[in-house]
């Protein structure tokens, strides 16, 4: 840890102590511990940030709740990658306002990517005066300080930074799952895809040092984590700007060596930076999951160029060939945008052609959403909504068909699943995740959550399976499951 980081950490811990004075006073006044609710919009990065924000709230003396109705402090961690994410926040703010009218001591805070946009701040200051605190992505590590300020104030506090080069480590974290965790390996993005607002709201690329990352993962494993998801906007460019540069593949080699860690995932990979070294490391690794999220965005070379993606359809297809050749059982998923300025039906045919050839295991399809300040938003040839919808539906049909046929290939196989939770519909069932990211529901004891089991994939339901756990005797033959016998899981 650098001395700058240490000082900042100590400062924030002092602010947490100050917040405790407030929460203790609340308890005396209301006869109960104050409750805080953190609502996450958007991606895995935000989900991880929310765990950090929740950790601070908990240390400050709040009890965490999922219910906004019950909460005394509500924090929205927002996303702005598409406009519908922003609209959802505005919609829900209306509801919070009515809650606040009933309970004037309710504090409302907003943070995350959407808050990095000047127009958003202006709108909230004008039309949502009841909001108490607004901060952005670059000063998230100062949350304890901001919390202590807002708890002692009646005014709206707004603190947005344009950028930061600081990475503050070791703040408290409240993890959502005991057995798996996200781990930030880098922040920001330097790619400036022409449609994307992320580089403007998350800033330039900054990598954490491998030492910090390894230390965090070792700690997580000590706490019982068996699976990590390494997080970055473009993990393939990890480490390039460090004082001692290191490749992402090399980082993976080091993470892999951590004893007790069973599964490694990562996202997101930019196709332009995916190296043969990475493919080789994945191929050899028993821990790196058989899943790669490789955003295509578009299949037409003309559109890819206008998107500033730095690869062609042919290069993408060749890359997929190399990956599938080296790792035949890998699942490849993707993101696709429909309706980018100037995109014709013929361009979408090119995208559909890629979908058919690659046979994605899953694809997230998005309607292009103009984001103020990005080059694409200023392009003249924006596409009318009816045309976009027609193309979107055509693409979605192909995506669903290929995903279903890919999923069907697993029918009857016996595979290892990490049990992630009790099934919401039927508590006699649990949900497990396979290495390739496929979900399987099967009858099992809830105490298996966080454990690995072997499952027979009986019936494919398009995007998930129902199955059966391999019986106890054959389980014991499997080395990882030997542990379950020690724990006397099954009787
Ligand atoms: N409009 C629609 N989709 C977008 N994405 C990013 N920016 C936009 C936008 N302006 C999609 C991309 C990216 C995913 C996280 O969100 O497909 O990979
Ligand atoms: Fe956005 Fe492109 Fe960076 Fe991904 S790589 S965050 S799409 S600019």
């Amino acid at each position: 840890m650098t001395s700058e980081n240490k000082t900042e950490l100590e400062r924030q811990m002092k602010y947490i102590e100050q917040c405790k004075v407030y929460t203790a006073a609340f308890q005396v006044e209301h006869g109960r511990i104050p409750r805080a609710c953190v609502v996450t919009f958007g991606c895995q990065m935000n989900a991880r940030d929310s765990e950090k924000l929740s950790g601070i709230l908990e240390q400050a003396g709040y009890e965490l709740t999922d219910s906004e109705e019950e909460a005394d402090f509500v924090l929205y961690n927002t996303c702005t990658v598409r406009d519908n994410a922003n609209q959802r926040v505005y919609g829900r703010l209306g509801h919070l306002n009515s809650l606040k009218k009933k309970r004037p001591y309710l504090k409302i805070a907003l943070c995350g990517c959407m808050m990095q946009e000047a127009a958003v701040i202006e709108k909230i200051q004008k039309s949502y005066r009841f909001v108490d605190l607004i901060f952005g992505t670059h000063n998230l590590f100062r949350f304890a300080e901001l919390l202590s300020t807002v708890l002692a104030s009646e005014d709206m506090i707004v603190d947005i930074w344009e950028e930061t080069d600081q990475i503050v480590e070791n703040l408290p974290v409240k993890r959502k799952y005991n057995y798996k965790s996200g781990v930030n390996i880098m922040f920001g993005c330097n790619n400036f895809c022409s449609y994307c607002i992320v580089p403007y709201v998350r800033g330039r690329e900054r990598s954490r040092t491998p030492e910090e990352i390894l230390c965090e993962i070792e700690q997580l494993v000590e706490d019982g984590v068996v699976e990590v998801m390494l997080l970055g906007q473009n993990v393939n460019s990890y480490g390039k700007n460090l004082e001692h540069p290191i490749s992402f593949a090399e980082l993976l080699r080091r993470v892999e060596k951590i004893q007790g860690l069973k599964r490694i995932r990562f996202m997101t990979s930019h196709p332009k930076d995916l190296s043969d070294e990475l493919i080789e490391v994945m191929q050899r690794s028993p821990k790196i999951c058989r899943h790669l999220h490789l955003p295509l965005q578009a299949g037409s070379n003309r559109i890819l160029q206008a998107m500033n993606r730095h690869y062609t359809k042919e290069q993408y297809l060749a890359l997929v060939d190399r990956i599938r050749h080296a790792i035949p059982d890998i699942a490849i998923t993707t993101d696709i945008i429909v309706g980018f300025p100037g995109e014709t039906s013929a361009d979408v045919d090119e995208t559909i052609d890629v979908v058919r050839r690659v046979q994605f295991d899953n694809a997230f399809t998005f309607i292009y959403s103009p984001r103020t300040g990005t080059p694409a938003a200023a392009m003249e040839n924006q596409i009318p909504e009816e045309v976009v919808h027609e193309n979107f539906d055509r693409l979605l049909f192909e995506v669903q068909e290929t995903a279903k046929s890919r999923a069907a290939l697993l029918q009857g196989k016996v595979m290892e699943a990490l049990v992630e939770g009790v099934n919401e519909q039927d508590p006699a069932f649990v949900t497990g995740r396979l290495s390739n990211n496929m979900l399987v529901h099967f009858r099992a004891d809830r105490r298996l959550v966080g454990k690995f089991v072997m499952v027979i994939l009986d019936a494919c339901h398009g995007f998930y399976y129902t199955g059966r756990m391999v019986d106890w005797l054959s389980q014991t033959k499997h080395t990882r499951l030997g542990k379950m016998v020690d724990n006397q899981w099954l009787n």
Side-chain angles (χ1 to χ4, degrees), residues 31-60:
R32 62 171 176 82
I33 297 174
R35 293 183 282 255
C37 174
V38 179
V39 181
T40 311
F41 298 80
C43 66
Q44 311 255 11
M45 300 267 193
N46 264 19
R48 182 64 179 156
D49 285 347
S50 288
E51 291 188 340
K52 297 177 183 172
L53 297 161
S54 302
I56 290 167
L57 284 163
E58 199 177 55
Q59 289 256 317

Coordinates of all heavy atoms in Angstrom, one line a residue, residues 31-60:
G31 N -35.3 4.2 18.8 CA -35.4 2.9 19.5 C -35.0 1.7 18.6 O -35.4 0.6 18.8
R32 N -34.3 2.0 17.5 CA -33.9 0.9 16.6 C -32.7 1.4 15.8 O -32.4 2.6 15.7 CB -35.0 0.4 15.7 CG -35.4 1.6 14.8 CD -36.4 1.0 13.7 NE -36.9 2.2 12.9 CZ -36.2 2.7 11.9 NH1 -35.0 2.3 11.5 NH2 -36.7 3.7 11.2
I33 N -31.9 0.4 15.3 CA -30.8 0.7 14.4 C -31.3 1.3 13.1 O -32.2 0.8 12.5 CB -29.9 -0.6 14.2 CG1 -29.4 -1.1 15.5 CG2 -28.8 -0.3 13.2 CD1 -28.7 -2.5 15.4
P34 N -30.6 2.4 12.6 CA -31.1 2.9 11.3 C -30.8 1.9 10.2 O -29.8 1.1 10.3 CB -30.2 4.2 11.1 CG -29.0 4.0 12.0 CD -29.5 3.1 13.1
R35 N -31.6 1.9 9.2 CA -31.4 0.9 8.1 C -31.0 1.6 6.8 O -31.5 2.7 6.5 CB -32.8 0.2 7.8 CG -33.1 -0.7 9.0 CD -34.4 -1.5 8.7 NE -35.6 -0.6 8.9 CZ -36.4 -0.7 9.9 NH1 -36.2 -1.6 10.9 NH2 -37.5 0.1 10.0
A36 N -30.2 1.0 6.0 CA -29.7 1.6 4.7 C -30.0 0.6 3.6 O -29.8 -0.6 3.8 CB -28.2 1.9 4.8
C37 N -30.4 1.1 2.4 CA -30.7 0.3 1.3 C -29.8 0.8 0.1 O -29.9 2.0 -0.3 CB -32.1 0.4 1.0 SG -32.6 -0.4 -0.6
V38 N -29.0 -0.1 -0.5 CA -28.2 0.3 -1.6 C -28.8 -0.4 -2.9 O -28.9 -1.6 -2.9 CB -26.7 -0.1 -1.5 CG1 -25.9 0.3 -2.7 CG2 -26.1 0.5 -0.2
V39 N -29.2 0.4 -3.9 CA -29.8 -0.2 -5.1 C -28.8 0.0 -6.2 O -28.3 1.1 -6.5 CB -31.1 0.6 -5.4 CG1 -31.7 -0.1 -6.7 CG2 -32.1 0.5 -4.3
T40 N -28.5 -1.1 -6.9 CA -27.5 -1.1 -7.9 C -28.1 -1.1 -9.3 O -28.9 -2.0 -9.6 CB -26.5 -2.3 -7.8 OG1 -26.1 -2.4 -6.5 CG2 -25.3 -2.2 -8.8
F41 N -27.7 -0.2 -10.2 CA -28.1 -0.3 -11.6 C -26.9 -0.7 -12.4 O -25.8 -0.3 -12.0 CB -28.6 1.1 -12.1 CG -29.9 1.6 -11.3 CD1 -29.7 2.1 -10.1 CD2 -31.1 1.4 -11.9 CE1 -30.9 2.6 -9.4 CE2 -32.3 1.8 -11.2 CZ -32.1 2.4 -9.9
G42 N -27.1 -1.4 -13.5 CA -25.9 -1.5 -14.4 C -25.1 -2.8 -14.2 O -25.6 -3.8 -13.8
C43 N -23.8 -2.6 -14.4 CA -22.9 -3.7 -14.6 C -22.3 -4.3 -13.4 O -22.5 -3.8 -12.3 CB -21.7 -3.3 -15.6 SG -20.7 -2.0 -14.8
Q44 N -21.4 -5.3 -13.6 CA -20.7 -6.0 -12.5 C -19.8 -5.0 -11.7 O -19.5 -5.2 -10.5 CB -19.8 -7.1 -13.0 CG -20.5 -8.0 -14.0 CD -20.8 -9.3 -13.4 OE1 -20.7 -9.5 -12.2 NE2 -21.3 -10.2 -14.2
M45 N -19.2 -4.0 -12.4 CA -18.4 -3.0 -11.7 C -19.2 -2.3 -10.7 O -18.7 -2.0 -9.6 CB -17.9 -2.0 -12.7 CG -17.1 -2.5 -13.8 SD -15.4 -2.4 -13.3 CE -14.7 -2.8 -14.8
N46 N -20.4 -1.9 -11.1 CA -21.3 -1.2 -10.1 C -21.7 -2.1 -9.0 O -21.7 -1.6 -7.8 CB -22.5 -0.7 -10.8 CG -22.4 0.8 -11.3 OD1 -21.3 1.3 -11.4 ND2 -23.5 1.4 -11.6
A47 N -21.9 -3.4 -9.3 CA -22.3 -4.3 -8.2 C -21.1 -4.4 -7.2 O -21.4 -4.4 -6.0 CB -22.5 -5.7 -8.8
R48 N -19.9 -4.4 -7.7 CA -18.8 -4.5 -6.8 C -18.6 -3.2 -6.0 O -18.4 -3.2 -4.8 CB -17.5 -4.7 -7.6 CG -16.2 -4.9 -6.8 CD -16.3 -6.0 -5.8 NE -15.0 -6.2 -5.0 CZ -15.0 -6.8 -3.9 NH1 -16.1 -7.4 -3.4 NH2 -13.9 -6.9 -3.2
D49 N -18.8 -2.0 -6.7 CA -18.8 -0.7 -6.0 C -19.9 -0.7 -4.9 O -19.6 -0.2 -3.8 CB -19.1 0.4 -6.9 CG -17.9 0.7 -7.8 OD1 -16.8 0.2 -7.5 OD2 -18.0 1.5 -8.8
S50 N -21.0 -1.3 -5.2 CA -22.1 -1.3 -4.2 C -21.7 -2.1 -2.9 O -22.1 -1.8 -1.8 CB -23.4 -1.8 -4.7 OG -23.9 -0.9 -5.7
E51 N -20.9 -3.1 -3.1 CA -20.4 -3.9 -2.0 C -19.5 -3.0 -1.1 O -19.5 -3.1 0.1 CB -19.7 -5.2 -2.4 CG -20.6 -6.2 -3.1 CD -20.0 -7.5 -3.4 OE1 -18.7 -7.6 -3.4 OE2 -20.7 -8.5 -3.6
K52 N -18.8 -2.2 -1.7 CA -17.9 -1.3 -1.0 C -18.7 -0.2 -0.2 O -18.5 0.0 1.0 CB -16.9 -0.6 -1.9 CG -15.9 -1.6 -2.6 CD -15.0 -0.9 -3.6 CE -14.1 -2.0 -4.2 NZ -13.3 -1.4 -5.3
L53 N -19.7 0.3 -0.9 CA -20.6 1.3 -0.3 C -21.3 0.7 0.9 O -21.5 1.3 2.0 CB -21.6 1.9 -1.3 CG -20.9 2.7 -2.5 CD1 -21.8 2.8 -3.7 CD2 -20.4 4.0 -2.0
S54 N -21.8 -0.5 0.7 CA -22.6 -1.2 1.7 C -21.7 -1.5 2.9 O -22.1 -1.4 4.1 CB -23.1 -2.6 1.2 OG -24.0 -2.4 0.1
G55 N -20.4 -1.9 2.6 CA -19.4 -2.1 3.7 C -19.2 -0.9 4.6 O -19.2 -1.0 5.8
I56 N -19.2 0.2 4.0 CA -19.0 1.5 4.7 C -20.2 1.8 5.6 O -20.1 2.1 6.7 CB -18.6 2.6 3.8 CG1 -17.2 2.4 3.3 CG2 -18.7 4.0 4.5 CD1 -16.8 3.3 2.1
L57 N -21.4 1.6 4.9 CA -22.6 1.9 5.7 C -22.8 1.0 6.9 O -23.2 1.4 8.0 CB -23.8 1.7 4.7 CG -24.1 2.8 3.7 CD1 -25.0 2.4 2.6 CD2 -24.6 4.1 4.5
E58 N -22.4 -0.3 6.7 CA -22.5 -1.2 7.8 C -21.6 -0.9 8.9 O -22.0 -0.8 10.1 CB -22.3 -2.7 7.3 CG -22.8 -3.7 8.2 CD -22.6 -5.1 7.7 OE1 -21.4 -5.5 7.4 OE2 -23.6 -5.8 7.6
Q59 N -20.3 -0.6 8.5 CA -19.4 -0.2 9.6 C -19.8 1.1 10.3 O -19.5 1.3 11.4 CB -18.0 0.1 8.9 CG -17.3 -1.1 8.4 CD -16.2 -1.6 9.4 OE1 -15.4 -0.7 9.8 NE2 -16.1 -2.9 9.6
A60 N -20.5 2.0 9.6 CA -21.0 3.2 10.1 C -22.1 3.0 11.1 O -22.6 4.0 11.7 CB -21.4 4.2 9.0

